[in-house]
Amino acid sequence: MLPTTFDLPVPCFFNVFHNPSDFLKLERQLMKVPFEIFSEIARARQRIIEKEMDNFVDSIAEATQKNMSETDALNHLGSLLSRLEELKMKIMENNSRQEMELEIIMKRLNHLQVLQFGGKEIEAKWKQMHVDRILVDYMLKSDCFDAALKLAEGSDIQELVDVKIFLDAKRVIQGLRNRNCSEALAWCAENESKLDNSQDSFEFKLRVQEIVEFLRNHQLEDAVNYAQEYLVPWGDQYKEDVEKVMVAFAFDNCAKCDSCKMLFDLNKWDALIGKFKMEFMRLHGITQEPSLIYHLTAGFICLKTLGCLDRECPIEDPLFEDDIRQLGARLPFWPHRRTKLVCYITKELMTLYNPPLILPNGYAYSKKQIRRSYMGYNFSKNILVQNQTCHDCCKA
């Protein structure tokens, strides 16, 4: 079933070119992810420069206090120059990564500008790209990485989706599924500054799991050494949890002890995968739920009127089928008994006093607009047919 509530607007997907400001609220992730990557690259470059320059200055200060021979001084200067060359190469590599991310940001901005300035000739193509983006996002968050990559390549939308960073996450997820924490711990080390503010530390859970695996394999000495090196520093922050782990050292068959069963539950690995996904998406500004869920929820709310519960609900109603209706069972009703119809040209509501009329081409417009556009012309009943119900008009 779809979720009960969400904080996003309820836009009409096929009217995005007429309501771009509302629809852009759903595109936060599109710009947030590359911006976060761009900012992280800039911060990493700043850290590298500060660290290397501090070491460079310390080396010069240390050298000036020594009585070096001319040969030793030249060798020392040569090593300093080599370090500066290495620093230059790191900065150039960092700059190239920033340029790549900047190009992605510009391409995504250009893609969104179609909402404001695009013509009808490219509207259909934009909509198809948007649908493909939604599907790729759903596949990535469902761990269908290969399918997402093929769809992105086939639709030529690699710069508009976040396949690259999810492929980095794939290594960590695969490692956890294989009951190996090394990839996850390496990821924690890379993002240490961002993870420090978390109240429920992912790294601490990984350290505990490493100890549990040592104990499961009866490697008591390795477990003790690992705990002394990696678990003790967390003692003040997670005192109760550390004490529970320490209890496991007191039993020979700790996996069967009532006090330690939860620690040795194999479902802990699934919990770690879920925790990693949550931290990964939070760090990159990615929504926890796939955007497909938000779009479906918005669509169901627009379609779910009180008229869907009537016995006279027509078969043309999208929610006529019980299976489809159950998907949105927990969603609220749209505050109208029938779906409202708005004239495409005048943007006025089509009511009893301004009913919808269907032209021979199958399009429906308001009676007021038809009269305004074709004043002076006579229409026969075969050319202009007044529509009596909302559902007949929906057929058009």
Side-chain angles (χ1 to χ4, degrees), residues 326-342:
Q326 288 177 6
L327 289 175
R330 299 167 57 192
L331 296 175
F333 285 94
W334 189 252
H336 302 285
R337 191 166 187 81
R338 290 287 186 267
T339 303
K340 290 186 176 181
L341 294 177
V342 178

Side-chain angles (χ1 to χ4, degrees), residues 153-184:
E153 292 176 349
S155 303
D156 195 22
I157 55 173
Q158 295 95 322
E159 293 84 5
L160 303 179
V161 291
D162 305 312
V163 175
K164 183 178 179 181
I165 62 171
F166 273 94
L167 289 179
D168 293 336
K170 179 183 178 181
R171 294 183 292 103
V172 178
I173 294 173
Q174 192 62 44
L176 293 175
R177 285 178 178 167
N178 295 333
R179 302 181 185 178
N180 189 327
C181 297
S182 58
E183 290 287 351

Side-chain angles (χ1 to χ4, degrees), residues 68-131:
M68 292 185 177
S69 63
E70 182 178 351
T71 304
D72 293 339
L74 290 174
N75 292 335
H76 186 69
L77 287 175
S79 64
L80 291 178
L81 288 175
S82 299
R83 288 170 58 180
L84 287 177
E85 287 292 335
E86 292 178 1
L87 176 60
K88 180 181 177 181
M89 294 297 296
K90 290 181 181 179
I91 293 175
M92 291 177 62
E93 181 182 354
N94 192 286
N95 288 341
S96 63
R97 290 178 58 198
Q98 272 194 307
E99 290 176 0
M100 291 175 59
E101 293 301 325
L102 189 59
E103 288 180 4
I104 292 176
I105 292 174
M106 293 304 300
K107 288 181 179 179
R108 296 191 179 190
L109 282 174
N110 293 334
H111 175 72
L112 291 180
Q113 283 181 345
V114 177
L115 292 172
Q116 298 285 354
F117 310 109
K120 290 187 176 181
E121 64 278 2
I122 61 174
E123 182 175 340
K125 181 180 179 181
W126 192 95
K127 290 177 179 178
Q128 183 59 53
M129 291 175 65
H130 185 75
V131 171

Side-chain angles (χ1 to χ4, degrees), residues 306-315 317 320 325 337-338:
L306 293 174
C308 300
L309 302 179
D310 293 343
R311 293 182 179 180
E312 295 80 13
C313 179
I315 194 172
D317 195 304
F320 175 80
R325 190 182 303 162
R337 191 166 187 81
R338 290 287 186 267

Side-chain angles (χ1 to χ4, degrees), residues 181 185 203 206-211 214 220-233:
C181 297
L185 289 170
E203 183 181 355
L206 291 173
R207 298 298 183 186
V208 170
Q209 193 63 39
E210 289 273 82
I211 295 173
F214 281 129
L220 183 59
E221 184 177 352
D222 292 334
V224 171
N225 294 334
Y226 192 93
Q228 290 176 342
E229 183 175 359
Y230 297 108
L231 203 62
V232 171

Side-chain angles (χ1 to χ4, degrees), residues 311-367:
R311 293 182 179 180
E312 295 80 13
C313 179
I315 194 172
E316 293 86 358
D317 195 304
L319 301 184
F320 175 80
E321 295 290 340
D322 289 338
D323 293 340
I324 298 178
R325 190 182 303 162
Q326 288 177 6
L327 289 175
R330 299 167 57 192
L331 296 175
F333 285 94
W334 189 252
H336 302 285
R337 191 166 187 81
R338 290 287 186 267
T339 303
K340 290 186 176 181
L341 294 177
V342 178
C343 180
Y344 180 81
I345 299 176
T346 65
K347 302 298 184 290
E348 295 179 358
L349 192 66
M350 292 189 278
T351 63
L352 179 65
Y353 305 101
N354 185 28
L357 301 176
I358 300 179
L359 295 179
N361 60 5
Y363 289 95
Y365 302 96
S366 65
K367 185 176 182 180

Side-chain angles (χ1 to χ4, degrees), residues 127-366:
K127 290 177 179 178
Q128 183 59 53
M129 291 175 65
H130 185 75
V131 171
D132 292 337
R133 282 175 46 217
I134 293 174
L135 293 176
V136 170
D137 177 72
Y138 179 80
M139 293 175 184
L140 290 173
K141 292 176 181 176
S142 302
D143 298 342
C144 301
F145 302 107
D146 294 337
L149 181 60
K150 289 181 180 179
L151 178 57
E153 292 176 349
S155 303
D156 195 22
I157 55 173
Q158 295 95 322
E159 293 84 5
L160 303 179
V161 291
D162 305 312
V163 175
K164 183 178 179 181
I165 62 171
F166 273 94
L167 289 179
D168 293 336
K170 179 183 178 181
R171 294 183 292 103
V172 178
I173 294 173
Q174 192 62 44
L176 293 175
R177 285 178 178 167
N178 295 333
R179 302 181 185 178
N180 189 327
C181 297
S182 58
E183 290 287 351
L185 289 170
W187 181 83
C188 289
E190 293 174 3
N191 300 276
E192 183 179 2
S193 59
K194 293 184 178 181
L195 293 173
D196 284 344
N197 297 326
S198 175
Q199 296 297 323
D200 187 16
S201 176
F202 176 55
E203 183 181 355
F204 174 73
K205 292 179 180 293
L206 291 173
R207 298 298 183 186
V208 170
Q209 193 63 39
E210 289 273 82
I211 295 173
V212 168
E213 293 305 311
F214 281 129
L215 294 175
R216 196 196 307 274
N217 297 323
H218 306 289
Q219 297 172 286
L220 183 59
E221 184 177 352
D222 292 334
V224 171
N225 294 334
Y226 192 93
Q228 290 176 342
E229 183 175 359
Y230 297 108
L231 203 62
V232 171
W234 299 90
D236 294 336
Q237 188 175 358
Y238 298 98
K239 183 178 179 181
E240 294 183 2
D241 294 324
V242 171
E243 289 175 350
K244 291 179 182 179
V245 177
M246 292 298 102
V247 170
F249 286 89
F251 298 92
D252 293 334
N253 198 352
C254 45
K256 295 183 179 180
C257 173
D258 293 337
S259 303
C260 305
K261 278 185 178 179
M262 291 298 296
L263 287 174
F264 290 85
D265 189 352
L266 292 178
N267 290 330
K268 286 287 186 179
W269 288 105
D270 294 331
L272 285 174
I273 292 175
K275 178 65 177 175
F276 166 73
K277 289 181 179 179
M278 185 175 66
E279 291 292 336
F280 171 79
M281 293 179 187
R282 181 181 65 83
L283 261 58
H284 289 90
I286 301 174
T287 57
Q288 297 291 329
E289 294 288 342
S291 58
L292 177 63
I293 299 297
Y294 295 125
H295 285 81
L296 288 177
T297 301
F300 265 94
I301 290 178
C302 293
L303 294 173
K304 189 179 178 182
T305 63
L306 293 174
C308 300
L309 302 179
D310 293 343
R311 293 182 179 180
E312 295 80 13
C313 179
I315 194 172
E316 293 86 358
D317 195 304
L319 301 184
F320 175 80
E321 295 290 340
D322 289 338
D323 293 340
I324 298 178
R325 190 182 303 162
Q326 288 177 6
L327 289 175
R330 299 167 57 192
L331 296 175
F333 285 94
W334 189 252
H336 302 285
R337 191 166 187 81
R338 290 287 186 267
T339 303
K340 290 186 176 181
L341 294 177
V342 178
C343 180
Y344 180 81
I345 299 176
T346 65
K347 302 298 184 290
E348 295 179 358
L349 192 66
M350 292 189 278
T351 63
L352 179 65
Y353 305 101
N354 185 28
L357 301 176
I358 300 179
L359 295 179
N361 60 5
Y363 289 95
Y365 302 96
S366 65

